[in-house]
């Protein structure tokens, strides 16, 4: 049996008539860029994420890039990001002319570690003025420790741009309110943006907030393999801040407002109508697909939890995990061996990500060395993502687990933890 890491054709089969009709409607309308389809999708994502503004852009990478541009982050500025993430998170920081500062991760959640974040400011006091934003990444579909991160950002008056590319629909329970942007220092002028919700802890009962709705900006990717995937590239910026939303609107069309008049230089980053129409069909199914992923994950948990040398994903109690990836840790240096072994069994697994960003060649001038961010380095050696998607069949999943079982046993009496 061949088990794919993801099979998008199965999803298409379940919604084919709706998708085909949406594509036909757009083609017949003759309107392909922005327009009513994009507006409708923006409104639906805004309502789904319970945010004031949702702005469709060309990709998740551009969503991050335009958020940083809207915050006027550029040369001379620094942005803190986790080292263990997809490259885009760091690439956009470099591409606006700023410098990434890499933070280590919490080994349980694989997400930015607030304790290390705090240490960065105490060990390197100049960061207090140099850092203009923090980008927590909600890796694999579970949100980062937002209460702690927001509190640190508030203390230093730093913007938070949530990289929610892998986490649409994930929730986080907190008594704090979304940050909006009150008093946020933006750009070189240090001007505050418009008043919105405040980031203070309140006496409110805990409420669930969607990924992307807690920071100054939330950024989504609709890359086809994402939980809400287009049939091409697409992305979205969400925010509760009117002024920042207006800047992103202008920046995505070359900085033009009114048309052909430019107060700033933007980029061409528009969501196209075909993708928006497809995504409008898919969005109402998202919660059911998430529930199906969670069932697959729960089954893996049950079947894998006692296996030697494997750690199943940690689920933080105050948040949901939407399992964009089901990522185990393979201990004792045997991850690559298991990856190869599964491949021999015709089971696709993936290594997200084999090299932490602080050790990437393109950032060597920043001077990071092996051992600087030990948890990010260890995760890059141990993380292995197994097939997870709503249409994964039970027998396929059992086949995956059966393949892992003898491999785990090979570790001997003390299993994989022998070393
Ligand atoms: C964590 C993370 N950030 C950013 C991106 C960039 O999104 P896109 O591929 O849509 O540009 C992705 C997805 O690929 C991602 O996984």
């Amino acid at each position: 049996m061949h088990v794919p890491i993801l099979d998008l054709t199965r999803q298409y089969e379940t919604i084919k008539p709706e998708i085909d009709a949406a594509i036909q409607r757009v083609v017949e309308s003759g309107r392909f860029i922005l327009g009513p389809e994009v507006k409708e999708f923006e409104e639906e994502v805004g309502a789904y994420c319970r945010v004031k503004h949702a702005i469709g852009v060309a990709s998740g990478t551009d969503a991050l890039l335009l958020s940083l541009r809207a915050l006027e982050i550029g040369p001379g500025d620094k942005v803190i990001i986790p080292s263990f993430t997809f490259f885009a998170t760091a690439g956009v920081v470099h591409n606006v002319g700023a410098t990434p500062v890499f933070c280590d991760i919490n080994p349980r959640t694989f997400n930015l570690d607030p304790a290390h974040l705090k240490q960065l400011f105490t060990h390197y006091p100049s960061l207090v003025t140099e850092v203009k934003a923090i980008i927590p990444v909600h890796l694999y579909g579970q949100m980062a420790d937002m209460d702690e991160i927001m509190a640190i950002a508030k203390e230093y008056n730093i913007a938070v741009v949530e990289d929610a590319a892998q986490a649409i629909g994930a929730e986080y329970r907190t008594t704090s309110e979304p940050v909006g942007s009150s008093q946020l220092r933006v750009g070189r002028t240090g001007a505050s943006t418009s008043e919105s919700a405040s980031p203070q802890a309140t006496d409110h009962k805990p409420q669930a907030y969607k990924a992307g709705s807690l920071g100054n900006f939330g950024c989504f990717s609709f890359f086809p393999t994402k939980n809400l995937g287009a049939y091409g590239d697409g992305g979205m910026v969400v925010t509760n801040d009117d002024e920042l939303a207006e800047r992103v609107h202008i920046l995505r069309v070359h900085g033009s407002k009114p048309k052909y008049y430019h107060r700033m230089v933007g980029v061409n980053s528009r969501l196209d109508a075909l993708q928006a129409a497809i995504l409008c069909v898919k969005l109402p199914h998202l919660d059911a697909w998430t529930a199906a992923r969670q069932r697959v994950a729960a089954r893996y948990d049950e079947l894998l939890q006692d296996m030697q040398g494997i750690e199943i994903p940690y689920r933080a109690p105050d948040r949901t995990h939407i399992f964009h990836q089901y990522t185990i840790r393979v201990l004792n240096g045997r991850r690559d061996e298991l990856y190869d072994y599964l491949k021999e069994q015709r089971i696709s697994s993936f290594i997200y990500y084999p090299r932490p960003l602080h050790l990437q060649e393109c950032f060597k001038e920043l001077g990071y060395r092996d051992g600087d961010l030990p948890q990010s380095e260890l995760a890059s050696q141990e993380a292995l993502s197994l097939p997870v998607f709503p249409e994964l069949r039970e027998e396929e999943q059992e086949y995956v687990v059966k393949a892992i079982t003898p491999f785990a046993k090979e570790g001997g009496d003390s299993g994989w933890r022998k070393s």
Side-chain angles (χ1 to χ4, degrees), residues 26 31-43 45 54-60 62-63 66 220-223 228-237 248-249 252-253 267-280:
V26 175
R31 297 195 62 170
F32 297 104
I33 302 290
L34 297 176
E37 302 282 351
V38 172
K39 200 161 176 12
E40 186 187 337
F41 181 57
E42 288 173 338
E43 282 167 11
V45 172
I55 307 141
V57 296
S59 67
D62 275 3
L66 293 185
F220 297 108
S221 163
F222 305 121
F223 186 76
L228 182 64
Y231 290 171
D233 276 311
M236 184 80 73
V237 176
V248 175
H249 269 120
R252 78 172 168 178
V253 288
V267 296
N268 171 5
S269 183
R270 302 166 300 207
L271 185 62
D272 73 64
L274 270 173
Q275 302 310 334
I278 288 161
L279 291 163
C280 267

Side-chain angles (χ1 to χ4, degrees), residues 59-61 64 85-86 88-89 137 139 163 165-166 221-223 226 233-234 353:
S59 67
T61 305
L64 291 165
T85 173
F86 179 60
T89 322
V137 180
L139 205 69
D163 183 340
Q166 301 187 5
S221 163
F222 305 121
F223 186 76
K226 294 292 190 282
D233 276 311
Y353 299 92

Side-chain angles (χ1 to χ4, degrees), residues 135-380:
I135 310 183
V137 180
H138 306 320
L139 205 69
Y140 303 146
Q142 181 169 234
M143 289 175 70
D145 295 325
M146 290 304 288
D147 273 346
E148 293 86 342
I149 293 167
M150 297 305 296
I152 296 166
K154 187 190 168 208
E155 185 181 340
Y156 298 114
N157 195 21
I158 290 168
V160 173
V161 177
E162 290 176 66
D163 183 340
Q166 301 187 5
I168 191 161
E171 289 189 338
Y172 185 92
R173 292 187 77 75
T174 178
T175 53
S176 301
E177 287 186 348
V179 67
S181 65
S182 61
Q183 313 307 315
L184 179 70
R185 194 182 59 202
V186 170
R188 262 144 281 281
T189 59
S192 294
T193 63
S194 58
E195 188 74 25
S196 177
S198 82
Q200 285 149 20
T202 65
D203 294 333
H204 298 161
K205 286 204 186 104
Q207 268 194 52
Y209 291 91
K210 295 271 191 199
S213 71
L214 284 166
N216 299 90
F217 280 116
C219 299
F220 297 108
S221 163
F222 305 121
F223 186 76
T225 59
K226 294 292 190 282
N227 290 27
L228 182 64
Y231 290 171
D233 276 311
M236 184 80 73
V237 176
V238 297
T239 181
N240 284 311
D241 185 288
D242 300 342
E243 205 174 313
L244 290 178
E246 171 72 355
R247 287 189 208 188
V248 175
H249 269 120
I250 297 173
L251 283 165
R252 78 172 168 178
V253 288
H254 297 288
S256 126
K257 190 182 179 187
K259 206 166 183 184
Y260 305 126
Y261 290 84
H262 301 256
R263 264 176 299 148
M264 49 181 143
V265 179
V267 296
N268 171 5
S269 183
R270 302 166 300 207
L271 185 62
D272 73 64
L274 270 173
Q275 302 310 334
I278 288 161
L279 291 163
C280 267
V281 169
K282 287 187 166 198
L283 183 59
H285 297 280
L286 180 61
D287 286 347
W289 289 336
T290 297
R293 284 174 181 270
Q294 288 166 337
R295 282 195 294 275
V296 172
R299 221 154 45 217
Y300 271 136
D301 280 358
E302 199 187 315
L303 298 168
L304 295 175
Q305 64 188 344
D306 297 325
M307 268 192 211
Q308 296 280 5
I310 283 182
E311 273 179 11
I312 60 173
Y314 169 74
R315 295 140 178 262
D318 54 356
R319 58 205 91 162
T320 61
H321 198 320
I322 61 156
F323 289 101
H324 174 57
Q325 299 297 341
Y326 185 92
T327 304
I328 58 171
R329 278 179 185 267
V330 186
L331 308 178
N332 303 328
R334 296 192 71 197
R335 192 270 315 272
D336 292 353
E337 209 184 317
L338 180 57
Y339 171 82
D340 289 339
Y341 177 78
L342 291 177
K343 203 166 157 191
E344 276 167 31
Q345 310 297 311
R346 305 190 67 232
I347 295 166
S348 303
S349 63
F350 256 79
I351 296 169
Y352 302 111
Y353 299 92
R355 196 160 180 77
L357 300 184
H358 68 286
L359 298 178
Q360 295 287 348
E361 198 179 333
C362 62
F363 294 129
K364 68 171 184 281
E365 281 85 54
L366 299 178
Y368 288 92
R369 294 188 196 292
D370 264 329
D372 281 349
L373 301 175
Q375 292 304 337
S376 300
E377 291 164 32
L378 189 63
S380 72

